[in-house]
Amino acid sequence: MTHALVLAGHGSHLNARSSEAVRAHARTLAGDDSWDEVLVAFWKEEPSLSRALDGCSAAEVTIVPVFMSEGYFTSEVIPAEMGLDGPVTRREGRTIRCTRPVGAHPALAGIVVERALEAGASSDDALFVLGHGTPRNAGSASAVQAQVERVRDAGPFAQVTPVFTDQDPNIAAVPDLAGERSAVVVPYFASEGWHVGQVAANGARAVRYAEPAGTHPGVAAVIRTLALEAART
């Protein structure tokens, strides 16, 4: 029986770098013999989500959303665009499984820590995990808040706080929230797309910005874990 892995990302018409991380993770996973094919698909780029399986003959397909939280894209856009019935879809003799988003996996807490240390964070610093957030969907912030709790439990930093671009506490409040401590911000985004660039350009002075968590090479291993877990159920 043949197996295909599909990495589903957002993509962007505004920033050509938005899909780079997803494509890089796919290249890494293409060398894994767990799948006969490793494909990518995007909402705002080609190949599109709606045409992701065109030409794919695999009888077993696993879709991993390369998004950082549950929300509109994982609960509505991907299922609608890809014709999914739920976590498991059986169609024309094919079984299609869709996993949780990458950012919901507990292993991302370790990646957040690594990104902060790469940016020069010390145990005396205030670490801020930056998510999108939205008042329209509580799930958008919940993944960030869960990872913040895990990083706090790991204990490497004096202060760990969630902040957001579209809800409170807002990224603009970082200097006040940090107080006398030096601040390091880890963007909890899947790519180096438009959001990350805008935040860095408009962010507070004297704040160090790490690379986005979703671009870390270790995310490929998380994708693999999610896909193999789904295949076993």
Side-chain angles (χ1 to χ4, degrees), residues 22 62 71-72 77 80-81 99 103 108 113 123 133 136 140 158 173 199 228 231:
V22 175
T62 303
Y72 172 68
V77 172
E81 292 291 316
T99 75
L108 266 291
V113 171
S123 59
R136 296 190 299 273
S140 180
V199 167
L228 294 180

Side-chain angles (χ1 to χ4, degrees), residues 16-224:
R17 302 185 67 183
S18 181
S19 63
E20 283 184 3
V22 175
R23 297 181 194 276
H25 299 324
R27 288 192 295 270
T28 298
L29 292 162
D32 192 315
D33 60 7
S34 299
W35 301 279
D36 300 288
E37 292 182 88
V38 178
L39 309 171
V40 297
F42 303 96
W43 188 48
K44 292 291 188 179
E45 289 185 35
E46 295 294 332
S48 67
L49 293 171
S50 61
R51 306 298 297 272
L53 300 182
D54 288 4
C56 175
S57 60
E60 298 276 340
V61 177
T62 303
I63 301 165
V64 179
V66 188
F67 287 80
M68 302 310 283
S69 67
E70 301 279 4
Y72 172 68
F73 294 105
T74 58
S75 64
E76 297 186 39
V77 172
I78 292 175
E81 292 291 316
M82 303 190 77
L84 306 181
D85 300 326
V88 180
T89 301
R90 291 184 171 85
R91 186 170 66 228
E92 298 176 354
R94 169 185 282 171
T95 300
I96 305 171
R97 295 178 175 85
C98 189
T99 75
R100 295 174 295 153
V102 166
H105 197 282
L108 266 291
I111 288 176
V112 168
V113 171
E114 287 190 35
R115 283 303 198 207
L117 295 174
E118 289 170 0
S122 73
S123 59
D124 295 325
D125 290 342
L127 172 62
F128 295 88
V129 183
L130 171 65
H132 187 283
T134 172
R136 296 190 299 273
N137 192 309
S140 180
S142 62
V144 174
Q145 293 161 341
Q147 300 298 3
V148 163
E149 291 301 323
R150 294 183 180 107
V151 174
R152 283 176 181 160
D153 290 342
F157 305 107
Q159 175 183 340
V160 187
T161 305
V163 289
F164 302 94
T165 61
D166 285 14
Q167 69 180 61
D168 292 327
N170 190 267
I171 180 65
V174 163
D176 291 335
L177 293 170
E180 298 299 315
R181 295 190 175 101
S182 297
V184 176
V185 175
V186 176
Y188 203 67
F189 290 98
S191 70
E192 295 184 28
W194 182 83
H195 276 107
V196 175
Q198 287 297 105
V199 167
N202 300 322
R205 295 178 180 176
V207 175
R208 282 171 287 167
Y209 290 88
E211 295 294 316
T215 66
H216 192 282
V219 170
V222 177
I223 294 170
R224 183 181 190 276

